[in-house]
Each structure stands twice: as structure tokens, then as C-alpha cells.
Amino acid sequence: MELAKPVFPALPQPKEDSEDWTYPMRREMQEILPGLFLGPYSSAMKSKLPTLQKHGITHVICIRQNIEANFIKPNFQQLFRYLVLDIADNPIENIIRFFPMVSVHHHVLNYFIRVHFRTEGGNAKGVNKYL
């Protein structure tokens, strides 16, 4: 008896006109898939509100460590829906326990709402949870 192979939905295709990533871009949010942005905390600071609005951001998933909770906070709760996850940045952190929370947030989004991930370095665990 052969086991059924899992079927995964196709990922959206990247834009044809997207530019190649360069190291200085690490300080800005990047659209990594249509409607999905990844960036460091600084890309969602109070001074960046016009940029977030220009890109049509409606939801922000903020991934921080517990010790950062006093200074990394949602800035625009009246404008965006936030999902804040306190996740330790170490190799033994069990990030699987956060998948259901992100999945529920993602299910609501259903690729129609533009999402911005805020992470300390602008990469790493944030996108892994989404994809």
C-alpha cells in the first residue's frame, strides 16, 4: 500500500522586475512574496508609518525576545493588526509551538492582506514561521 504524498499549495511567483538583494537593503523591509514583507524592527518604527501605508500593510507579525518586550512594542495598534511573539533567539527554542498562532493569523490573511514581519535582524525565524 502506497502512502499518499502531501499536496502543498503553490507559492506566488516573485515579481519579474524585482531587484537583486544587496547587503545595505538589510535595514529596509523587503517584499519577499507578493504581499509578504520581511524587515527588521526599525522598518516599522514610528517614523516609518508612511512607508508601511504606501505598501498597504494591514497586519504586522512582530517576533522579539522576552527581554525586548519593554522597548519593542506595536507602534500603530489603531492602524494595523499585530501578532506579537516572544521567541528566544537560540538553537534550542521550540519554535514549533508558535506555528498554530501564525497559522491562524495566516488563515485570516489568506494572501489578500499585506503582512510585514518585524524581527531583530530582519530575517531568520520570522519567515520560517510564515512559510
Side-chain angles (χ1 to χ4, degrees):
M1 183 170 164
E2 205 173 304
L3 294 175
K5 293 182 181 179
V7 178
F8 299 101
L11 291 174
Q13 293 300 311
K15 294 179 180 176
E16 292 292 326
D17 62 344
S18 61
E19 61 183 294
D20 287 339
W21 188 86
T22 60
Y23 188 70
M25 295 167 72
R26 74 191 185 284
R27 300 285 181 227
E28 306 164 6
M29 70 177 193
Q30 323 265 319
E31 188 170 19
I32 58 172
L33 289 172
L36 178 64
F37 293 79
L38 177 66
Y41 295 136
S42 61
S43 64
M45 296 185 321
K46 291 180 181 177
S47 65
K48 301 294 184 178
L49 178 59
T51 303
L52 296 169
Q53 290 176 319
K54 180 181 100 178
H55 290 290
I57 301 298
T58 58
H59 288 60
V60 177
I61 299 174
C62 177
I63 301 169
R64 65 186 182 193
Q65 297 189 69
N66 282 338
I67 60 172
E68 298 168 323
N70 290 329
F71 57 92
I72 304 285
K73 299 177 181 178
N75 289 321
F76 311 106
Q77 289 183 306
Q78 71 282 10
L79 299 174
F80 308 122
R81 286 197 63 173
Y82 281 85
L83 173 62
V84 179
L85 301 174
D86 292 325
I87 301 175
D89 189 13
N90 69 54
I92 61 170
E93 175 68 83
N94 178 14
I95 65 171
I96 292 173
R97 65 190 172 112
F98 295 98
F99 287 11
M101 288 179 269
V102 175
S103 293
V104 167
H105 203 65
H106 169 259
H107 179 71
V108 171
L109 304 177
N110 199 23
Y111 286 118
F112 295 111
I113 297 175
R114 300 175 86 70
V115 180
H116 177 246
F117 275 96
R118 290 170 51 181
T119 63
E120 181 181 1
N123 52 29
K125 294 179 180 173
V127 123
N128 291 334
K129 287 177 199 60
Y130 185 81
L131 299 175

